[in-house]
Structure formats: C-alpha cells, structure tokens
Amino acid sequence: MKTQQELEANYEKFIAVLNKYFKGDRLQKLLFMYSEDELGGNLMVSPASGNIHYHNAYEGGYIDHIFNVTKNALKMKELFAAQGGNIDFTDEELIFTALHHDLGKLGTKEQLNYVPNDSKWHVERGEVYKRNPELSYLTATDRTMLLLNQYGIAITENEYFGI
C-alpha cells in the first residue's frame, strides 16, 4: 500500500507531465479536470483494476498504470519508427492517448469507479474492488469520452482511435 506522501508525489509527477506535453487552452482544461476539487483525488487513489490477478489493483495503481503505458507507448513508437513504420500521429496525441485511455476508471467528480469489495467471498478470490453501484454502468471507454466531453476537452481522430 502506498503512503499518502507517495500518492501525492505521483499526483505532482502527473501534473508535471501535463505541463510538459500540453499547452494553451487544452492544458488549462486538463489541469482543471485533474485539480483536487475535480478528479484529482480520484487520480491519486484509484486502482487500475479490481482484481489482484489483473494489473495494479491497489490504491494508487491507476496512476502507476498510466505512467507505464505512456513510457511503453513512447518506446513502441521508437521501435515502430526504427522498423520503417509510418508515424502518422504526433507525440502529443500519443501521450494524450496513453494518459487518458482508462480515464473512465476514475469514476466521476462525486464517485470513485472502484470501491472496496464488501464481499469476503469475492475478496478471497482476488476481487478486492468492485464497480461502484452508485454510478451508472458505462464501459471505461464510454465514461472516458463522457468525462472529456464534460470538461470540454476536444480530441483528435487519432486520439479517439487510440482510446
């Protein structure tokens, strides 16, 4: 389990990534969406999955997951280019997609997507988190698109396909 200081450090690292790769109105909208009064708290504590047999099913696992995806996406781009692949997307599109492909897993401003599982039987089988029954059912991708829309963050066609 991560300490509060580790969770906050990852949050600050994420904000620094936004400031490095985005600019203008888009940056301002992203910073607002991830502010502590909006989705920032969710970003700090959310797991990336609910089952310990999947990826990053622990508090703070979501942000670790998107950092890994971003790092690996940049490495795959280099490999793809080295093998003669046609790079028909920008680094901003690649990083935006990697950072936001699972955005819907944060839930909403009011509700986390994953909550601790209250079923001992399920927890014993590795399902330590469950989907929050207070939220309308949406796939992670659908909620991602809904959140981006709610915060007025436009995406390119490449980003849409990437997400």
Side-chain angles (χ1 to χ4, degrees):
M1 183 139 104
K2 291 186 177 278
T3 66
Q4 184 65 29
Q5 292 82 9
E6 290 171 318
L7 294 171
E8 290 171 5
N10 270 351
Y11 174 75
E12 293 302 323
K13 180 179 171 184
F14 180 84
I15 297 301
V17 168
L18 294 181
N19 281 302
K20 180 177 180 179
Y21 290 102
F22 304 101
K23 58 188 179 295
D25 184 56
R26 190 177 213 198
L27 172 61
Q28 294 312 308
K29 288 178 180 180
L30 288 169
L31 291 173
F32 176 72
M33 180 172 74
Y34 289 114
S35 66
E36 291 186 40
D37 290 334
E38 297 296 320
L39 296 177
N42 298 26
L43 175 67
M44 278 192 267
V45 301
S46 290
S49 65
N51 190 312
I52 61 170
H53 303 293
Y54 300 152
H55 61 290
N56 301 55
Y58 55 86
E59 186 178 50
Y62 173 87
I63 200 166
D64 287 343
H65 169 63
I66 60 170
F67 284 155
N68 288 335
V69 169
T70 302
K71 176 180 67 177
N72 289 320
L74 289 166
K75 288 179 181 179
M76 290 302 297
K77 178 194 164 213
E78 287 179 27
L79 178 62
F80 187 63
Q83 296 302 311
N86 177 31
I87 306 300
D88 60 354
F89 52 87
T90 67
D91 282 350
E92 181 178 336
E93 288 174 321
L94 179 66
I95 292 166
F96 183 89
T97 299
L99 291 176
H100 296 94
H101 76 281
D102 269 348
L103 175 64
K105 290 183 177 182
L106 294 184
T108 65
K109 177 180 173 178
E110 297 81 20
Q111 297 284 338
L112 290 168
N113 182 63
Y114 288 116
V115 294
N117 201 328
D118 52 2
S119 166
K120 183 179 176 186
W121 186 86
H122 285 92
V123 171
E124 288 172 353
R125 284 150 184 78
E127 297 174 35
V128 293
Y129 295 97
K130 65 180 183 178
R131 285 184 184 255
N132 187 339
E134 298 295 315
L135 290 176
S136 300
Y137 178 81
L138 293 173
T139 66
T141 304
D142 288 341
R143 189 170 305 282
T144 294
M145 296 303 174
L146 180 63
L147 287 168
L148 292 171
N149 181 62
Q150 287 174 337
Y151 286 94
I153 300 167
I155 62 174
T156 67
E157 183 175 28
N158 282 339
E159 291 165 345
Y160 177 84
F161 287 131
I163 291 171

